[in-house]
Amino acid sequence: MRKDRKKMPGNLFVGASLAGFMLLFLLIGLLYTPYDPDAMSGGAKFAAPSLAHLFGCDQFGRDILSRVMKGTGTTFFVGLATVLIGGGAGLLVGAFTGYFGGWLDEVLMRFNDAVVSFPSILLALVFISILGPGKYNVILALGVVFIPSFARMTRSEFISQREMDYVKSARLMGASHLRIIFVHILPNTLPTILATAAIGFNNAVLAEAGMSYLGIGVQPPDASLGRMLSESQAYLATAPWCALFPGVAVILLALGFSLLSDGLQKKGGK
C-alpha cells in the first residue's frame, strides 16, 4: 500500500502550511485583536516591539499587530472575491467555448485575445480611474481583468476532454450538454482549475497591495497591507518595524499560494 501512495510534493506541503497559517492568522483577527486597529495613542507613537505591542506601533500610535491582522483579512477578502468573480465568469466562458466550439468560440476567444494583449494591471488601473478608489471597485476591476486568463485555461482543458471516451459514452446515454459539461467534464479539470485559482489569488493579493500602496486601492479606515507599507516608507530608518511586519505578511500570503499552485500542478501531473 505504501509503495502505491504518491508522495506529497514538498512545495505543496510548504505552500499549504503557509496558506493555512495565514488563514488561521486572519481568522483570529476577525474574532480578536489585541487592540482596536484604528485606536490612536500619542504616548505609543513609534513604540518599538515589546510585550505590550508585539509588532510595535506606527506613527499614530496604532498597534501594528492588530492592523496587520485586520489588513491581512482585507487583502485575503479582495483576493478571494477577485478569484470568485474572474474564475466564475472565466470558467463559464471557457467551458462553453471549449465544449461547443464553432462561431461562439471564435467570437469570444478573439475578444479574449484582444483583452489579454493589454497588461492586466494596466487595465485594472484604467477601471479604477473610471470607477474611483475603494475596496469593492478594486475587486470589480481585478475580477474583470482576470476573466480572460481563467477562460483560456478552462477552454483548453475542455477541448482536450470533450472527445474522450467517457464524454462520448455520456452522449450515447442521452446526457444533456449541461450535464456533460458540469457533471462529467468539469470534475476532471478541477486540479488545473484549482492551480489556476491559486495563481489568480496570488496575483490578486500582489495587485491589491500594489494599488493600495499607490493610494488607489483600499481606503481608510479599512486597514490594508499595501497602504501600511506606503505610510511607513518615510520611517524606514527610524521605525523599520512599521514596514517589516506588513511586508512579511504580504510575502507569506503570496508565497504560500504560489507554492500551493505549483504543488497542485505537479500533483496533477501537469
Side-chain angles (χ1 to χ4, degrees), residues 146-232:
F146 279 17
I147 290 175
S149 59
F150 281 99
R152 181 186 294 273
M153 176 278 304
T154 306
R155 173 179 176 270
S156 65
E157 286 294 307
F158 270 72
I159 288 176
S160 65
Q161 295 284 332
R162 68 186 181 187
E163 297 301 328
M164 297 191 71
D165 291 340
Y166 75 93
V167 176
K168 294 179 180 178
S169 298
R171 291 196 188 104
L172 291 175
M173 294 176 65
S176 65
H177 292 307
L178 290 179
R179 181 175 178 82
I180 293 174
I181 290 173
F182 293 107
V183 177
H184 295 279
I185 299 180
L186 184 59
N188 289 289
T189 65
L190 281 181
T192 303
I193 291 175
L194 291 176
T196 305
I199 294 174
F201 179 87
N202 178 59
N203 292 337
V205 165
L206 296 176
E208 184 279 324
M211 287 190 285
S212 294
Y213 180 87
L214 295 174
I216 57 175
V218 177
Q219 300 296 301
D222 288 333
S224 166
L225 298 177
R227 179 168 285 275
M228 291 176 70
L229 288 172
S230 177
E231 292 175 348
S232 62

Side-chain angles (χ1 to χ4, degrees), residues 44-58 64 238-239 241 245:
K45 183 178 179 181
F46 291 126
S50 64
L51 292 178
H53 300 278
L54 294 180
F55 287 5
C57 295
D58 63 9
I64 293 178
T238 56
W241 54 86
F245 295 108

Side-chain angles (χ1 to χ4, degrees), residues 31 39 52 66 98 100 131 167 175 184 187 212 229 247 252 266:
L31 302 174
S66 301
F100 290 107
L131 300 173
V167 176
H184 295 279
S212 294
L229 288 172
L252 291 180
K266 288 184 178 180

